[in-house]
Amino acid sequence: LRSQPLFHHQYPPHRPTMPRPATKADPQKQLMIKVKACQRLIKEAAYYEKETKENEEQLQKMKDEQKDPYDIKKFEEVLGESQMMIPESIGRRDKALDDLRDFVSVLEKDEAENNDLMTCEWMVEAKKLAPSEKETSEEGEDVAITAVDGLAEGEAF
């Protein structure tokens, strides 16, 4: 009787692996990856919105030309699928932009002395794609906020 399985000799012996030394990930490379992901997701969301608009126009054209009801029904299904993808793609885009914004905020605190990182093309692009709340509030300071608390119903301000 055999105590070892058949073909045991074909498997390599177990070799313990040495743990890799902990290395700090390159923040500029991480930033580049996050920026490119955001750019791709922005394009994707815009594409789905454009595709939906084009499909709506095509569907209306098919109805106006009184095309085959089966074809119209199938095209409505295609349109419905396009419309379902819009909220998903916008959600992924917004999540990626929030992640990028948070990552830039952390880098500005932790890597403030790293002038190469703070001025690299990816940092510039990241700040364009996902400006911090501070930057967006500075840009929108020309809008005045009108308090309407004390107005009665129908009263003009």
Side-chain angles (χ1 to χ4, degrees):
L1 296 178
R2 295 181 189 189
S3 61
Q4 295 183 0
L6 195 60
F7 308 115
H8 173 72
H9 63 279
Q10 292 179 351
Y11 298 113
H14 175 68
R15 292 186 199 124
T17 57
M18 295 293 294
R20 290 186 176 183
T23 57
K24 185 178 176 189
D26 179 19
Q28 190 164 343
K29 185 175 180 180
Q30 287 180 307
L31 183 63
M32 176 197 70
I33 291 167
K34 290 182 184 299
V35 167
K36 286 185 174 186
C38 286
Q39 290 171 333
R40 179 180 53 79
L41 291 167
I42 288 169
K43 284 181 186 176
E44 180 183 282
Y47 172 78
Y48 281 123
E49 290 172 350
K50 179 183 174 201
E51 179 184 50
T52 299
K53 186 174 184 273
E54 289 172 357
N55 285 348
E56 286 170 345
E57 291 169 1
Q58 179 68 27
L59 179 63
Q60 189 58 49
K61 183 180 173 188
M62 290 173 75
K63 287 180 178 179
D64 292 345
E65 294 174 356
Q66 297 178 343
K67 296 283 186 182
D68 183 22
Y70 178 79
D71 291 341
I72 291 174
K73 183 178 182 219
K74 285 297 174 189
F75 203 79
E76 285 173 339
E77 291 173 11
V78 170
L79 177 60
E81 289 174 13
S82 295
Q83 290 170 333
M84 285 185 340
M85 290 305 296
I86 291 174
E88 284 182 32
S89 63
I90 288 174
R92 286 192 306 268
R93 177 199 67 194
D94 292 347
K95 183 182 181 315
L97 288 171
D98 288 343
D99 289 347
L100 178 62
R101 193 174 295 114
D102 294 343
F103 186 68
V104 167
S105 174
V106 167
L107 287 179
E108 287 176 336
K109 291 176 188 150
D110 297 348
E111 302 280 342
E113 71 285 348
N114 185 344
N115 196 40
D116 289 341
L117 177 63
M118 291 298 123
T119 58
C120 75
E121 65 176 305
W122 299 113
M123 183 63 78
V124 172
E125 188 64 27
K127 288 183 177 185
K128 273 193 250 175
L129 289 173
S132 68
E133 284 80 18
K134 184 178 80 173
E135 291 169 348
T136 54
S137 66
E138 288 172 3
E139 292 172 3
E141 286 182 353
D142 60 340
V143 177
I145 297 173
T146 305
V148 292
D149 298 343
L151 296 176
E153 184 76 29
E155 182 180 353
F157 57 93

